[in-house]
Amino acid sequence: MNLQIKQEDHENTHHLHIGGEIDAYTAPQLREALLPLTGKEGHETLVHLSDVNYMDSTGLGVFVGALKSSKEHGSSLKLTGMTSRVQRLFEITGLDEVIDIEDVKGGSK
Amino acid sequence: MDDRDLQYQKYKAILVNYLEEQSEQTLYKGQQFSRKMIEQKISPEEAVSLHVSVLEELFPDIPEPLKNSYDFLLEMMIGYGFAYREHQSLRSRQQQLESEIEIAANMQQTLLAGDKPEVPSLEIGAISKPAQKMSGDYYHFVQDENDCVSVAIADVIGKGIPAALCMSMIKYTMDSAPEQRMQPGAVLENLNRVVEQNVDPNMFITMFYGLYDPRVHSFYYAGAGHEPGFFYDSQKDEFEELFTRGLVLGVSKKTSYQEYQRVLNGNDMVIMLSDGVTECRSTNGFIERDEIVALIRKYIHLSAQEIVEEVYRELERLQEFELRDDFTLVILRREV
């Protein structure tokens, strides 16, 4: 199972485009890409998840870790473009209320 | 002739053979010989040294520079020899660790093997199968002197040994807070505080906690980000989602958990599961929640324990016996 990560940086804003599957095997890869960004004070990280077709709870764990890191270092983290399957995971776990998730269906920004 | 001589003669025979005609067959013999040498723990520099002594016997007039170059090669191989011996010792260390994990897994099983309580008027079925040696899924029953049964079902995210240690922590906290057991919301709030302090940042726990009071046939429950279970209403012959709202344990210090209540009539069921059940993948994609319900319905005439076992068996077959995630299913049924 594969994970693709593409990173674009515009000054203090970082875009991570994720594709493929986030599970126990690929989660460490995501963590390595994400945590250095959330550890930068004042920086903003946007994670684009529209090409993620599967995510399990280990993947959620990475975002929980990233959320804690961004709070600790005063950076911001936002997730966007998730499929309904992935969104359901965030809803069941209640993480949608603590993590900033952009609702693309609502057509914002 | 001792082992060394024997080895020398054998190697010489193969080498001579190869020098006469460079056949595949002789190369293959060489491969087999090297495998035997590895079994006998012959180091790389010893292998080179063997080659050099055979050469010196076969060609006494080897030019001096070539001879010197063998000494040089030998020196080079010593580094590989160290690496080889390190590999050997790591391998034995790994075997030792594996057997230690095995023992720890067995211990965990004994430690966590929650006995299913015997309660008048309540039938209980429970099954839990780990995907790895140690399970991240967990269920636990506690029965009090009034025959009230509390049940917890949890999934520690993050797998393997740290997850298992976390389980033990939960069990300890649950067992040591008897006065609180009656209030599911408070139980989760308490556990959340414990988990929030102890767990590494990527780890969290989803948990469903409920309490059945047979005196009033009521089930009180709360959930912390756990996969919703089902409630089976036998009069309507319908399954409904057992919805709870609440954040997973270990993310935010100040979290409160709403408490819900259901009254069970005869034959009504409460079904609790882990996301390993709904994240099952068959060859045709994911197994949907509807399919789980259909499976439970198919075996509804059986006892609660038989239902959970049959559902597990069918899902295992659908995934071609390859469990990707832990699997836990618990059913409570009020007897008529």
Side-chain angles (χ1 to χ4, degrees):
Chain A
M1 302 304 143
N2 268 321
L3 184 76
Q4 298 90 40
I5 302 177
K6 237 176 38 197
Q7 184 174 342
E8 275 174 60
D9 302 311
H10 305 286
E11 293 180 358
N12 287 351
T13 309
H14 312 279
H15 293 265
L16 280 186
H17 296 266
I18 316 292
E21 309 201 341
I22 310 174
D23 58 16
Y25 301 98
T26 60
Q29 238 176 298
L30 176 63
R31 187 175 311 138
E32 269 169 46
L34 192 52
L35 284 194
L37 304 178
T38 54
K40 289 179 188 160
E41 193 185 333
H43 285 230
E44 189 183 8
T45 306
L46 266 118
V47 187
H48 301 260
L49 293 166
S50 52
D51 293 328
V52 172
N53 43 42
Y54 175 77
M55 175 150 98
D56 72 3
S57 30
T58 330
L60 287 179
V62 175
F63 290 111
V64 166
L67 174 76
K68 287 184 177 174
S69 151
S70 74
K71 278 195 178 151
E72 190 186 332
H73 296 98
S75 66
S76 92
L77 171 73
K78 199 180 221 180
L79 312 185
T80 179
M82 50 182 76
T83 61
S84 57
R85 179 148 216 126
V86 172
Q87 182 141 14
R88 179 176 173 271
L89 272 178
F90 280 91
E91 283 167 6
I92 287 176
T93 50
L95 289 170
D96 60 335
E97 298 206 343
V98 289
I99 296 179
D100 192 356
I101 297 173
E102 195 175 58
D103 186 7
V104 279
K105 279 172 290 181
S108 69
K109 279 168 270 180
Chain B
M1 209 186 276
D2 67 12
D3 281 356
R4 260 196 133 62
D5 286 334
L6 202 67
Q7 211 172 48
Y8 183 89
Q9 295 305 334
K10 267 193 186 158
Y11 186 77
K12 187 174 144 190
I14 296 171
L15 186 62
V16 167
N17 211 319
Y18 186 73
L19 294 178
E20 277 166 9
E21 45 159 357
Q22 287 85 48
S23 71
E24 283 289 324
Q25 213 183 351
T26 318
L27 269 182
Y28 177 63
K29 268 190 192 160
Q31 274 176 21
Q32 279 181 316
F33 189 78
S34 77
R35 228 168 276 147
K36 230 177 238 157
M37 284 172 75
I38 290 170
E39 267 172 36
Q40 292 171 8
K41 302 207 164 87
I42 309 281
S43 71
E45 67 266 32
E46 281 175 299
V48 171
S49 160
L50 175 64
H51 181 78
V52 171
S53 11
V54 172
L55 270 192
E56 280 174 345
E57 191 201 325
L58 293 175
F59 307 101
D61 324 317
I62 302 180
E64 197 67 16
L66 211 55
K67 230 177 180 172
N68 292 339
S69 83
Y70 289 138
D71 289 339
F72 189 76
L73 177 62
L74 218 58
E75 201 57 39
M76 298 271 302
M77 292 317 286
I78 288 175
Y80 283 90
F82 281 129
Y84 172 74
R85 280 184 285 277
E86 195 172 285
H87 169 78
Q88 290 288 333
S89 90
L90 281 176
R91 246 175 72 157
S92 78
R93 177 90 189 112
Q94 190 197 6
Q95 277 161 2
Q96 192 189 337
L97 280 175
E98 264 170 19
S99 78
E100 277 174 18
I101 289 175
E102 191 94 34
I103 293 166
N106 289 337
M107 274 171 64
Q108 193 210 13
Q109 221 107 76
T110 342
L111 189 71
L112 298 182
D115 292 336
K116 275 193 312 174
E118 295 284 330
V119 186
S121 84
L122 188 70
E123 210 196 319
I124 300 176
I127 192 168
S128 189
K129 299 278 181 186
Q132 291 181 1
K133 280 191 179 154
M134 296 184 111
S135 176
D137 270 11
Y138 171 69
Y139 70 79
H140 186 54
F141 292 101
V142 179
Q143 182 176 16
D144 71 11
E145 61 283 1
N146 300 318
D147 276 335
C148 288
V149 175
S150 48
V151 52
I153 161 162
D155 186 3
V156 176
I157 282 74
K159 292 201 182 299
I161 299 173
L165 291 176
C166 221
M167 289 294 160
S168 309
M169 196 172 84
I170 294 185
K171 179 183 154 61
Y172 178 76
T173 315
M174 263 178 79
D175 285 348
S176 55
E179 67 286 347
Q180 242 195 15
R181 245 174 252 147
M182 305 296 282
Q183 304 158 290
V187 169
L188 292 180
E189 275 158 39
N190 205 23
L191 278 171
N192 178 55
R193 275 194 294 273
V194 177
V195 175
E196 208 270 335
Q197 284 173 14
N198 283 277
V199 165
D200 97 76
N202 296 301
M203 245 167 114
F204 63 86
I205 296 172
T206 76
M207 183 159 167
F208 180 91
Y209 181 89
L211 174 102
Y212 182 71
D213 187 339
R215 296 166 298 187
V216 289
H217 308 295
S218 281
F219 187 67
Y220 306 90
Y221 59 100
H226 198 81
E227 176 79 26
F230 301 101
F231 180 80
Y232 173 70
D233 184 328
S234 68
Q235 272 161 359
K236 291 194 219 154
D237 189 25
E238 272 173 14
F239 286 84
E240 312 162 32
E241 193 161 271
L242 207 55
F243 176 81
T244 56
R245 181 106 207 137
L247 181 64
V248 294
L249 306 178
V251 172
S252 173
K253 211 169 282 179
K254 280 174 251 140
T255 309
S256 57
Y257 295 93
Q258 199 184 325
E259 212 168 286
Y260 304 80
Q261 183 197 354
R262 289 273 180 155
V263 176
L264 271 72
N265 294 308
N267 274 331
D268 283 358
M269 293 193 287
V270 170
I271 297 144
M272 292 156 275
L273 40 83
S274 67
D275 68 354
V277 179
T278 49
E279 290 292 301
C280 274
R281 288 207 250 196
S282 69
T283 38
N284 308 317
F286 292 96
I287 296 181
E288 301 294 338
R289 286 171 63 84
D290 296 351
E291 296 177 63
I292 311 284
V293 168
L295 281 177
I296 294 169
R297 193 179 274 285
K298 181 173 167 190
Y299 295 109
I300 208 160
H301 56 284
L302 300 174
S303 75
Q305 186 59 36
E306 284 165 333
I307 297 174
V308 297
E309 279 167 17
E310 289 300 331
V311 170
Y312 172 69
R313 217 163 287 152
E314 288 227 7
L315 288 176
E316 192 186 36
R317 198 170 46 78
L318 280 172
Q319 313 184 76
E320 292 167 341
F321 302 97
E322 209 174 301
L323 219 58
R324 275 177 71 116
D325 202 350
D326 302 334
F327 177 103
T328 298
L329 185 60
V330 173
I331 292 182
L332 307 182
R333 175 154 64 189
R334 183 184 158 190
E335 288 171 344
V336 190

